Amino acid sequence: MLILGLETSCDETGVALYDTERGLLADALFSQVDIHVEYGGVVPELASRDHIRKTLPLVEEVLARAGCAASQIEGVAYTAGPGLVGALMVGATLARALAWGWGVPALGVHHMEGHLLAPMLEEDHPEYPFVALLVSGGHTQLVRVDAIGQYRILGESLDDAAGEAFDKVAKMLGLPYPGGPHVARLAQRGTPGRFTFPRPMVNRPGLDFSFSGLKTHTLNTVAECTVAGELSEQDKCDIALAFEEAVVATLVIKCRRALRQEQLKTLVIAGGVSANTNLREQLSRALAKEGGRVFYPAPRFCTDNGAMIAYAGAQRLLAGQVDAAASPVRPRWPMEELPPLTAGVEG
Ligand code: KG4
Ligand code: ZN
């Protein structure tokens, strides 16, 4: 089954063609970073308008790259939530209009399910069941995954998401949005051991996270190091490293705890922050010691992309799920409300 996938939930327009027999045929991405950078964050209305401009040309691009005709497409999947409502509506409207015009089914996909399943695009992918750590700009969640649509949230952030904390610390250090990769780059030049930041909530039982205290601690350290309104380059690198180490150590502790609790050995990490090299290395090392293994998507499929939406949609469309006639986008959408694959027609 050949599926077109559209992702427009935030500031990236992602389009991909996935075939359930042949795998990923083509994918294309346009990042709006340059549009939003001068505002220090995503401006929702600008995001929606740019999705309108970019989505159809990207659909044509993936068709051309895959050497496919539109008439071969057998279903259209799009991100229906969670995300920015205007941006979601652009993708939903285009996807449903294309599907209607082509006489094929459309299906709204959960953005975080897309992230969660992104490692399945890799040749070497995990078997169910596993524990997934979803770390993006809007979510930090530990999820037990028994099959597609069988999700149990084990823990989540009580305040900021991990990516959001990276972005806010980046702002404190005068780095551009989106801050995560910039903080990670500075951290590589940090002096190990100069600062040790608190590891939030690790001494409390349970699997929830909280990053606001760590953020305040970082802000206080920035203030202490600032002399005559200036923070030296080395101070920035050292603070970035201490912050990154604290986030990574916290995530590693909670992932190990979740695996122990669920008596599982397989961990999946996905979402923008899973692109962080330090996190990948430390998780791999910690799990290897316990006979476990961590799987993650290719770096380009860690952040928002169309391939993960095409993949997740393809599995559900193949199982016969299609959108109801009236199918709204859902800016807020608990993942545990998703149906399992065997539930048949949705809506
Ligand atoms: O999954 P994603 O592309 O979008 C959402 O659905 O939120 O995640 C974006 C987040 C941003 O907060 C960004 O700063 C963070 O992922 N991020 C990183 C890295 N690359 C992206 N954080 C830490 N280290 C990275 N290398
Ligand atoms: Zn995302």
Side-chain angles (χ1 to χ4, degrees), residues 40-342:
V42 181
V43 183
E45 184 58 24
L46 294 182
S48 313
R49 291 181 196 197
D50 201 60
H51 287 308
I52 295 176
R53 279 191 288 270
K54 297 298 177 343
T55 311
L56 283 179
L58 289 183
V59 170
E60 280 164 11
E61 189 180 324
V62 293
L63 281 169
R65 271 206 245 151
C68 291
S71 57
Q72 291 171 272
I73 292 174
E74 296 170 275
V76 184
Y78 61 93
T79 305
L84 303 171
V85 69
L88 292 169
M89 282 172 68
V90 174
T93 309
L94 278 173
R96 288 165 62 87
L98 287 173
W100 190 77
W102 291 331
V104 299
L107 183 67
V109 170
H110 194 291
H111 180 78
M112 297 313 292
E113 176 173 72
H115 275 304
L116 179 66
L117 298 177
M120 294 299 185
L121 288 162
E122 303 303 310
E123 208 161 300
D124 181 21
H125 58 76
E127 302 284 333
Y128 300 106
F130 53 76
V131 169
L133 171 69
L134 294 177
V135 268
S136 71
H139 290 78
T140 300
Q141 291 181 321
L142 275 164
V143 188
R144 181 187 167 103
V145 180
D146 283 291
I148 293 178
Q150 292 181 33
Y151 308 129
R152 188 155 52 82
I153 309 288
L154 305 172
E156 59 194 331
S157 179
L158 305 177
D159 39 60
D160 289 6
E164 196 179 352
F166 265 97
D167 294 341
K168 288 180 180 167
V169 165
K171 261 193 190 166
M172 294 174 201
L173 298 176
L175 301 167
Y177 141 90
H182 295 285
V183 172
R185 216 163 297 135
L186 281 195
Q188 285 175 351
R189 290 185 280 128
T191 316
R194 173 162 171 217
F195 301 112
T196 304
F197 285 5
R199 274 67 169 140
M201 292 184 67
V202 296
N203 295 323
R204 270 192 248 168
L207 295 168
D208 286 333
F209 304 90
S210 164
F211 293 106
S212 68
L214 176 59
K215 218 174 51 190
T216 308
H217 188 94
T218 309
L219 188 62
N220 291 342
T221 311
V222 168
E224 280 160 24
C225 294
T226 302
V227 181
E230 290 282 330
L231 194 60
S232 77
E233 197 56 24
Q234 194 56 50
D235 284 344
K236 286 185 188 175
C237 295
D238 296 346
I239 292 170
L241 177 63
F243 168 78
E244 187 185 69
E245 278 184 339
V247 173
V248 168
T250 308
L251 294 176
V252 170
I253 289 168
K254 294 285 163 92
C255 285
R256 290 175 61 200
R257 197 180 284 175
L259 287 169
R260 257 197 319 270
Q261 175 188 302
E262 297 302 311
Q263 301 189 335
L264 293 174
K265 296 274 183 203
T266 308
L267 180 79
V268 157
I269 53 169
V273 183
S274 70
N276 187 284
T277 323
N278 204 345
L279 176 64
R280 288 173 173 226
E281 282 174 8
Q282 298 211 28
L283 270 176
S284 301
R285 212 172 306 141
L287 261 62
K289 275 191 213 149
E290 296 165 10
R293 206 182 144 192
V294 54
F295 291 84
Y296 28 71
R300 70 194 172 108
F301 298 142
C302 286
T303 44
D304 293 349
N305 64 87
M308 66 185 195
I309 301 304
Y311 176 85
Q315 308 311 313
R316 290 186 173 278
L317 284 159
L318 192 64
Q321 296 178 8
V322 295
D323 271 351
S327 197
V329 294
R330 296 186 60 175
R332 292 176 187 276
W333 190 2
M335 198 162 60
E336 285 171 315
E337 288 179 11
L338 289 174
L341 266 195
T342 47

